[in-house]
Amino acid sequence: MAFELPPLPYAFNALEPHIDAQTMEIHHDRHHATYVNTVNGAIEKHPELDQKSIDELLGNLSSVPEDVRTVVRNHGGGHFNHSIFWTLMGPGGGGEPGGAVADAINQAFGDFATFKDTLSKAAIGQFGSGWGWAFLAGGKLQVKGFPNQDNPVMEGGVPILGVDVWEHAYYLKYQNKRPDYVAAWWNTVNWGAVEERFSKAG
Ligand code: MN
């Protein structure tokens, strides 16, 4: 089964004014679509990979044939990251989480403000293109920056909340001001979706 571009679960302008409609349209319809099409091209060369989920492929990159491994890592990683990313945002987002996610944040970081600051710094400080991810690993909530389309699942972790800091995610509206984009992005976080991811991961 070829991978498919999932529909954006809200309108392109739903995250305005924090993320502009044109950025969302290009990001989803062109960038994410290219990741899907390119990883599918690699899978076509190796029918034995066709039955594997994207999580399985990325979680076991060493078992992916060498001639397509980098494509699966970059474009498969791009498909995986963005498929999660769209669901973590939504109109009327922002604020603070509750429930088990809040407990895990407080346990690992002391309080929400420290968690927010840690994830923001990981994202802003990621040199070049990449992501800031909060993820579960070894039963603990952790935060780290990842280059390119790498992600926690490649290290056996479970991604919980991530922010895309590729320039394509913010340059039309924020140009070089990545910190302003990351600050605005927090206003789009759909904590209900994050809590759902967290409960499935535990
Ligand atoms: Mn992106």
Side-chain angles (χ1 to χ4, degrees), residues 28-61:
H28 177 272
D29 285 10
R30 300 194 211 166
H31 289 279
H32 191 171
T34 298
Y35 296 131
V36 171
N37 293 335
T38 308
V39 72
N40 283 340
I43 302 295
E44 272 174 26
K45 295 182 194 161
H46 293 277
E48 75 272 19
L49 300 178
D50 199 45
Q51 300 305 316
K52 300 204 183 218
S53 70
I54 193 68
D55 302 53
E56 286 175 302
L57 290 172
L58 297 175
N60 302 282
L61 276 172

Side-chain angles (χ1 to χ4, degrees), residues 6-138:
L8 194 67
Y10 36 78
F12 293 127
N13 67 359
L15 306 181
E16 296 262 15
H18 312 295
I19 302 179
D20 62 285
Q22 191 184 12
T23 294
M24 290 302 293
E25 182 170 4
I26 295 170
H27 200 172
H28 177 272
D29 285 10
R30 300 194 211 166
H31 289 279
H32 191 171
T34 298
Y35 296 131
V36 171
N37 293 335
T38 308
V39 72
N40 283 340
I43 302 295
E44 272 174 26
K45 295 182 194 161
H46 293 277
E48 75 272 19
L49 300 178
D50 199 45
Q51 300 305 316
K52 300 204 183 218
S53 70
I54 193 68
D55 302 53
E56 286 175 302
L57 290 172
L58 297 175
N60 302 282
L61 276 172
S62 59
S63 70
V64 173
E66 210 173 342
D67 64 313
V68 298
R69 193 176 299 155
T70 300
V71 173
V72 169
R73 179 178 190 151
N74 291 338
H75 292 267
H79 173 46
F80 178 82
N81 280 330
H82 289 84
S83 297
I84 297 172
F85 186 53
W86 310 131
T87 70
L88 298 174
M89 301 183 290
E96 296 189 17
V101 171
D103 292 343
I105 285 172
N106 293 336
Q107 203 172 6
F109 296 90
D111 53 38
F112 178 72
T114 305
F115 167 74
K116 186 174 174 180
D117 188 52
T118 306
L119 180 53
S120 295
K121 281 182 173 150
I124 294 162
Q126 175 60 43
F127 184 74
S129 297
W131 292 74
W133 276 109
F135 56 100
L136 272 177

